[in-house]
Amino acid sequence: MKKKVETLIVTGASRGIGEATAKHFCKKGFRVVGIARTADALDQLQLELGDLFIPKVADLSDLDQAEETIVSLLNDRKLNISGVVLNAGISSGKAFLDSSRAMQTLEMNLNYHSPSIFLRNALKRFKRLPRGKIIAVSSLTALVPFPNNASYAASKAAFYHLLRSIRLEDGFKNVEISAVLPGLTDTKMSASFDSVLPRAAPEDIAKAVFQCWKKPAFPLVVGRLNQATESFNRLQPWLFDRVTASVVRWLPHE
Ligand SMILES: NC(=O)c1ccc[n+]([C@@H]2O[C@H](COP(=O)([O-])OP(=O)(O)OC[C@H]3O[C@@H](n4cnc5c(N)ncnc54)[C@H](OP(=O)(O)O)[C@@H]3O)[C@@H](O)[C@H]2O)c1
C-alpha cells in the first residue's frame, strides 16, 4: 500500500532557517506548504523541490491575513495538515530607544500575535487528530537577555512563555509542542547584528527542527556555546547580567 505523504506548514519559508527547514523536510519525503511574502523566492523553491513544496504568499504581520491563511490551509482536506513550524520572524536589531513604536508593533505582530493565531487554529484542529505537531523556531533570547535588541527578545520570550504554559494545559495530550532555540545564525536577519560570536548555519537549525518532529523537545537550545550560555544565565542570573552589561559597555557605539 502506498504510504501517505505527511504535510506540514513552514512559515517564513522564502529564505534563511525557514527555507533550510522546507528543503530538509521535502528531501525527507514530506510535503511542505511554505508561507512568505516574496512570491519569486517561493516559486524558485518550488522549481527546486517540485510538487512536495506548495508556495503560499501571505503577509503574516497582517493579523486578518494570518487568520485567513491558517484557517483556509487547515480546512483544505486534500492537504490534510498534521504539523506547523512557526518560524517567520523579524528583528529591528536596534536598541529600545532607537527603535520606533511601529517597529516594536511589527515585532509583536509577527513574532507573537501571528504565531498565536496559527497556534490557536492548529490546536483546535490537531486535538481532533490522532497526532499533531507544532514546532516553534524561538530564540535563545527567549530565555536570555539581549541588550540592544530588547523588544525582539521580549516578543520571542512572550511567545515562548505562551507555548510553555499551553503545553501544561489539559486537552492537548495528542499535540506535540516543541521549541527550537537557535543562537546567532547566519541569515539575513543576523546580517546587521554586530557580534564576534560564531554563527550556526540555517541547515543546523533545520536539522534541530526535524529532530523535534521525530521526538518533541521543549526547549531545544542549538549548539554547545548557546547551551552553556543558557545554563550560565539559569544558574547565575545576577552574575550573567553583570558580565553581559560589561561586554555591552565594551562594544563600540554608533
Ligand atoms: N538569524 C538568527 O540569528 C536567529 C537566531 C535565533 C532565532 N531566530 C529566529 O529564526 C526565525 C527565522 O529567522 P531567519 O534568521 O531565518 O530570518 P530571515 O532570513 O530574515 O527570514 C525570515 C523569514 O520570515 C519571512 N517573513 C518576514 N516577514 C514576514 C511577514 N510579514 N509575513 C510572512 N513572512 C514573513 C521572510 O520572508 P519574506 O520576507 O519573503 O516575507 C523570511 O522567509 C525567526 O523566528 C527568528 O526570530 C533567528
Side-chain angles (χ1 to χ4, degrees):
M1 209 172 72
K2 219 174 131 193
K3 205 177 158 232
K4 251 175 79 185
V5 178
E6 281 187 271
T7 307
L8 65 145
I9 295 169
V10 176
T11 68
S14 62
R15 60 172 188 267
I17 293 168
E19 178 188 2
T21 302
K23 284 183 177 170
H24 195 90
F25 275 81
C26 287
K27 280 175 189 158
K28 297 279 181 190
F30 290 77
R31 189 166 53 179
V32 172
V33 180
I35 308 177
R37 292 165 304 175
T38 315
D40 289 355
L42 295 179
D43 290 346
Q44 194 55 43
L45 261 182
Q46 194 185 29
L47 277 180
E48 189 184 330
L49 299 169
D51 290 345
L52 283 179
F53 184 81
I54 301 169
K56 177 86 186 164
V57 177
D59 181 347
L60 300 180
S61 68
D62 174 333
L63 302 184
D64 291 332
Q65 245 187 79
E67 185 102 44
E68 279 163 28
T69 304
I70 185 63
V71 168
S72 73
L73 289 174
L74 290 171
N75 282 341
D76 188 333
R77 285 182 185 275
K78 277 186 273 160
L79 287 177
N80 198 15
I81 307 271
S82 62
V84 182
V85 178
L86 299 166
N87 165 78
I90 197 162
S91 156
S92 72
K94 285 197 160 61
F96 186 64
L97 292 184
D98 295 335
S99 175
S100 64
R101 196 175 82 184
M103 187 63 210
Q104 285 159 18
T105 303
L106 185 59
E107 282 174 324
M108 280 311 280
N109 279 348
L110 192 61
N111 302 348
Y112 176 79
H113 292 300
S114 167
S116 305
I117 290 168
F118 270 53
L119 179 65
R120 184 181 304 111
N121 284 286
L123 283 172
K124 279 194 218 158
R125 171 57 53 95
F126 292 171
K127 65 189 255 192
R128 287 187 265 133
L129 299 181
R131 178 145 307 167
K133 304 186 193 212
I134 293 165
I135 304 169
V137 178
S138 180
S139 166
L140 182 62
T141 66
L143 300 177
V144 167
F146 194 15
N148 295 330
N149 210 346
S151 61
Y152 166 74
S155 68
K156 298 303 274 190
F159 191 65
Y160 178 84
H161 209 70
L162 178 79
L163 277 181
R164 188 174 169 195
S165 305
I166 285 173
R167 274 178 81 242
L168 309 179
E169 288 177 10
D170 212 18
F172 303 123
K173 295 276 184 287
N174 55 337
V175 187
E176 296 174 356
I177 301 180
S178 301
V180 175
L181 276 60
L184 202 58
T185 306
D186 195 10
T187 65
K188 189 175 176 195
M189 177 184 281
S190 67
S192 65
F193 296 173
D194 204 8
S195 174
V196 290
L197 293 174
R199 287 160 197 254
E203 292 74 21
D204 298 333
I205 315 305
K207 282 185 199 151
V209 173
F210 192 69
Q211 194 181 319
C212 288
W213 185 275
K214 295 279 165 206
K215 188 170 181 241
F218 199 102
L220 176 62
V221 178
V222 188
R224 292 250 170 85
L225 182 63
N226 298 320
Q227 287 159 6
T229 305
E230 187 277 322
S231 302
F232 178 23
N233 169 68
R234 180 165 33 82
L235 298 171
Q236 298 282 350
W238 178 82
L239 186 59
F240 184 91
D241 284 3
R242 280 199 68 166
V243 172
T244 306
S246 308
V247 173
V248 170
R249 266 198 300 277
W250 172 80
L251 285 173
H253 293 280
E254 277 175 15

